[in-house]
Amino acid sequence: MQLRSVKAGDYMAANLITFSPDMEILRAISLLVEKRISGAPVVDSRGNLVGVLSEQDCMRVALNAGYYDDYGGRVAEFMSTKVETIDADTSILKLAEMFINARYRRYPVMRDNRLVGQISRRDVLRALQALS
């Protein structure tokens, strides 16, 4: 099997930690730390992808705490709403190009406009390792 024939859906994480927009931000940060993940999709009550919360987004929580003594808030206040997604059928090769040309560490994976997983740089490396 060649790397170009491997799809994102073959190596994505399907059992995702997700956040809701109204989740308390400190709870979300606790889950990021506890689960050792650098970000997670944010979905509404119908399961629609509405954003992504990353460690970088959470740095604003640290600034608010340090400068204003404000430790609270909801995920919706800090998440990134401009989310670049990929289709489950995107090739791993194309995905590697995307990771090189963008600052993202992960992409939400969609199938028929529904969130089905997430794929990271490490998942691309796992695909490469599996084929070597």
Side-chain angles (χ1 to χ4, degrees):
M1 182 184 287
Q2 291 187 335
L3 195 57
R4 72 177 51 112
S5 64
V6 177
K7 306 294 182 206
D10 298 332
Y11 282 90
M12 71 182 184
N15 294 329
L16 296 181
I17 300 292
T18 61
F19 302 133
S20 69
D22 58 349
M23 176 184 261
E24 176 57 45
I25 191 65
L26 293 178
R27 175 70 183 126
I29 290 171
S30 291
L31 283 169
L32 290 177
V33 172
E34 177 187 319
K35 301 296 184 182
R36 298 177 180 226
I37 55 176
S38 61
V42 180
V43 295
D44 67 15
S45 60
R46 294 186 303 273
N48 297 313
L49 180 67
V50 295
V52 169
L53 184 72
S54 70
E55 288 174 324
Q56 185 174 5
D57 297 322
C58 293
M59 291 301 109
R60 292 190 333 209
V61 178
L63 291 177
N64 287 351
Y67 288 124
Y68 307 111
D69 250 2
D70 182 2
Y71 289 84
R74 303 279 174 226
V75 167
E77 299 169 46
F78 299 95
M79 70 183 188
S80 299
T81 55
K82 241 179 110 176
V83 180
E84 192 166 335
T85 64
I86 63 159
D87 189 80
D89 291 329
T90 302
S91 78
I92 290 290
L93 199 56
K94 170 70 175 158
L95 192 54
E97 281 180 39
M98 291 172 69
F99 278 126
I100 287 171
N101 293 316
R103 63 177 182 83
Y104 302 119
R105 292 180 174 206
R106 79 201 65 73
Y107 287 98
V109 180
M110 310 293 282
R111 179 174 282 127
D112 300 324
N113 292 322
R114 300 299 295 170
L115 179 67
V116 294
Q118 179 171 271
I119 193 156
S120 68
R121 294 174 182 175
R122 185 165 295 133
D123 296 323
V124 173
L125 297 180
R126 283 189 316 111
L128 181 62
Q129 178 187 29
L131 294 176
S132 61

